[in-house]
């Protein structure tokens, strides 16, 4: 299967979130344990069939989204401080059951970063990766991470903005 250059392997690994062996959201001092309530999915199986992302379409699919920009400092999460967030409320004209928030990360130079409160209308695609802090079991004798606040090991969703459309008033 040929993939768009934006998709690459970073897209394949996140797909496993749809049901692969996921690690629990454990406290950093406790070893992460595989979840037993999901059916494992091989990463290889994701090369031929892409999972549906948070936007409701297969990862790597270019769609038109509308919503508004948010100041990350207003969410109360330290990880969002200083970031511009995009609150997506509709995909291809269809309202989402629940808005999805992405960080404004990748966009061409001609798409300016929106200000908090501005309405957005973009062509985008969703991609992501599995990443996070994992604590090795003590019996392995491997030093674990420092005691830091973290969100565990999970799928991290991302968005690439391809183009900006005029916003309807």
């Amino acid at each position: 299967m040929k993939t768009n250059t934006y998709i690459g392997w970073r897209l394949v690994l996140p797909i496993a979130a749809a049901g692969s062996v996921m690690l629990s959201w454990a406290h950093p001092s406790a070893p992460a344990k595989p979840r037993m309530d999901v059916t494992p999915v091989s990463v290889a199986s994701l090369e031929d069939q892409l999972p549906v992302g948070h936007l409701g379409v297969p990862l790597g699919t270019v769609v038109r989204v509308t919503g508004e920009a948010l100041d990350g400092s207003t969410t109360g999460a330290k990880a969002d401080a200083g970031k511009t967030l995009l609150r997506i409320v509709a995909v291809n004209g269809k309202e989402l059951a629940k808005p999805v928030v992405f960080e404004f990360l990748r966009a061409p130079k001609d798409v300016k970063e929106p200000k908090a409160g501005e309405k957005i209308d973009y062509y985008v695609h969703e991609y992501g990766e599995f990443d996070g802090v994992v604590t090795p079991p003590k019996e392995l004798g491997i030093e674990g991470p420092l005691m830091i606040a973290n969100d565990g090991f999970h799928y991290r969703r991302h968005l690439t903005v391809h183009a900006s459309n005029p916003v309807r008033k």
Side-chain angles (χ1 to χ4, degrees):
M1 175 181 152
K2 290 186 178 183
T3 59
N4 180 313
T5 56
Y6 285 109
I7 299 172
W9 282 103
R10 290 189 128 208
L11 173 64
V12 173
L13 294 177
I15 309 314
S20 71
V21 175
M22 294 176 62
L23 300 176
S24 66
W25 291 56
H27 186 275
S29 64
K33 296 178 182 150
R35 287 187 43 189
M36 299 307 196
D37 61 337
V38 295
T39 303
V41 174
S42 74
V43 172
S45 72
L46 302 173
E47 293 174 1
D48 295 323
Q49 184 177 359
L50 296 176
V52 172
H54 291 275
L55 295 176
V57 297
L59 296 177
T61 303
V62 177
V63 294
R64 189 172 186 170
V65 298
T66 55
E68 70 177 312
L70 304 172
D71 177 351
S73 302
T74 64
T75 68
K78 284 185 180 181
D80 292 339
K83 296 179 181 176
T84 297
L85 305 178
L86 303 175
R87 182 176 176 267
I88 309 297
V89 297
V91 175
N92 289 334
K94 183 180 176 190
E95 193 169 324
L96 295 171
K98 180 180 175 186
V100 183
V101 176
F102 291 87
E103 181 180 354
F104 183 87
L105 284 175
R106 296 192 321 192
K109 290 179 183 179
D110 63 332
V111 176
K112 68 177 182 70
E113 186 169 335
K115 302 274 188 241
E118 281 184 4
K119 299 293 182 195
I120 59 160
D121 185 340
Y122 293 146
Y123 281 104
V124 304
H125 81 264
E126 179 182 351
Y127 69 101
E129 62 192 342
F130 279 110
D131 198 4
V133 176
V134 178
T135 303
K138 288 181 183 182
E139 60 267 17
L140 295 179
I142 301 171
E143 270 192 54
L146 299 173
M147 294 298 290
I148 57 171
N150 70 80
D151 51 2
F153 186 85
H154 68 286
Y155 173 67
R156 297 178 192 273
R157 60 182 176 241
H158 301 292
L159 200 69
T160 294
V161 176
H162 293 280
S164 179
N165 301 302
V167 176
R168 297 179 193 150
K169 302 283 180 185

